[in-house]
Each structure stands twice: as C-alpha cells, then as structure tokens.
Amino acid sequence: MATLTLEDFLYTKSQNSDSAEVKRAWQERKNRWVKQVDSLYSSIENWLIPMVNAKQVEISRRTTSLTEEQIGLYSIPELTIYFVGEKVELRPRGTNIIGGFGRIDVYGKNGQAALVLPEWDKWSFYQLDRSNVSMPKPIYEPLTDDVFKRVMLD
C-alpha cells in the first residue's frame, strides 16, 4: 500500500468532501430547513392571532446565527411569545441532527421541550418518558394547535 503525503491526503479529502454536488445538497437542505422553521412560526402566529388581538399575547421574531458542520454559518429566525407575565422562546438548534431534519428547543417557565422535524412538513414535540428512570424513551407527539397550547401553558 502506497503512503500518501499529507498534501496528497488533504487534496484527496477536499476533492471527495467538498464537491459541488455535496455543497449544493447541504445548501438545499439548509434552505428547506429555514423555510420549515419560518412556516412553523407563521402557523404558531396564526394560532395565536385571537390572543394577540385581545392584547393577551405578544409575539416577536429576531434573527440569530447558527453554525453547523457541512453547512457553515447561516441566519435563522427565533420566536418569542410573551403572555401573562411569562415568555416562551423557540430557538432553532440545527438541521444536522440524528433522527430528523431539524430541531427547535422550546424554553419556558416550567422547563424545556423540543420540536423535532422527523419528516419534512411534519413537526412533533419530543419528550422523554421517564417512567422507567434507567432507560427513558423518546415520545413524539404530532404538533397541533391544541398540543402546542398545552405544552406552552403547562
């Protein structure tokens, strides 16, 4: 077996991992992920319109930056919901995850949950069933307005 010089090794590695096709695929995934997050936030805002109109809830979006392997640095929105002296923050964690196409962490007064995108266009709440303390099981619950409101208010 021939031994490669470091220069040859790095060149070969760069040719294999940085091909235009691979970069384009990661760019497309990132773009789709950002659109999925934006669409989710729009759905949540629509669910909350009656409460916003009644001045019971305020919603704000801001842009944050994420850096992910294979993708690099990019901008993505975060969502904050203010109600009854409390707030719930939705912060994207990335598309480069195991078991799905993306995850958003949800932070509130009572702790943290996660929204996971196990399939494109199908958000689910993720939680651990801790009834068996030695081996918690993940539970996915489809995202509906009732489930979101329950998680937000529990």
Side-chain angles (χ1 to χ4, degrees):
M1 176 162 92
T3 303
L4 291 176
T5 66
L6 178 59
E7 184 178 351
D8 290 339
F9 171 76
L10 293 175
Y11 175 79
T12 301
K13 186 123 175 111
S14 72
Q15 293 303 305
N16 291 336
S17 65
D18 291 333
S19 72
E21 187 175 320
V22 170
K23 286 181 178 181
R24 186 175 56 253
W26 279 108
Q27 185 67 29
E28 288 172 7
R29 179 172 172 151
K30 182 217 39 159
N31 291 342
R32 189 167 184 187
W33 157 241
V34 171
K35 286 179 185 173
Q36 292 283 302
V37 170
D38 191 57
S39 177
L40 171 68
Y41 291 173
S42 293
S43 294
I44 292 169
E45 289 166 339
N46 286 334
W47 293 337
L48 297 175
I49 282 175
M51 290 179 269
V52 169
N53 291 341
K55 307 276 190 240
Q56 298 168 327
V57 170
E58 291 181 29
I59 301 170
S60 70
R61 285 193 196 205
R62 73 178 193 92
T63 301
T64 190
S65 297
L66 290 181
T67 302
E68 294 193 69
E69 192 173 325
Q70 304 295 330
I71 295 173
L73 180 69
Y74 63 97
S75 297
I76 193 162
E78 292 183 333
L79 186 74
T80 304
I81 304 163
Y82 301 92
F83 64 100
V84 195
E86 297 180 26
K87 72 177 178 179
V88 174
E89 296 176 286
L90 285 80
R91 297 184 203 152
R93 288 297 167 227
T95 185
N96 196 357
I97 68 166
I98 295 172
F101 293 104
R103 185 182 102 208
I104 297 174
D105 288 345
V106 181
Y107 299 91
K109 175 179 127 176
N110 296 323
Q112 179 181 343
L115 284 164
V116 177
L117 193 59
E119 297 176 45
W120 291 116
D121 301 314
K122 293 190 179 181
W123 288 96
S124 295
F125 268 104
Y126 171 84
Q127 61 186 10
L128 289 177
D129 176 1
R130 299 193 184 274
S131 60
N132 180 353
V133 178
S134 65
M135 185 61 89
K137 301 184 293 195
I139 298 173
Y140 291 94
E141 187 169 9
L143 180 61
T144 64
D145 57 343
D146 290 334
V147 170
F148 183 78
K149 289 173 189 172
R150 186 188 75 230
V151 170
M152 203 174 91
L153 299 173
D154 281 348

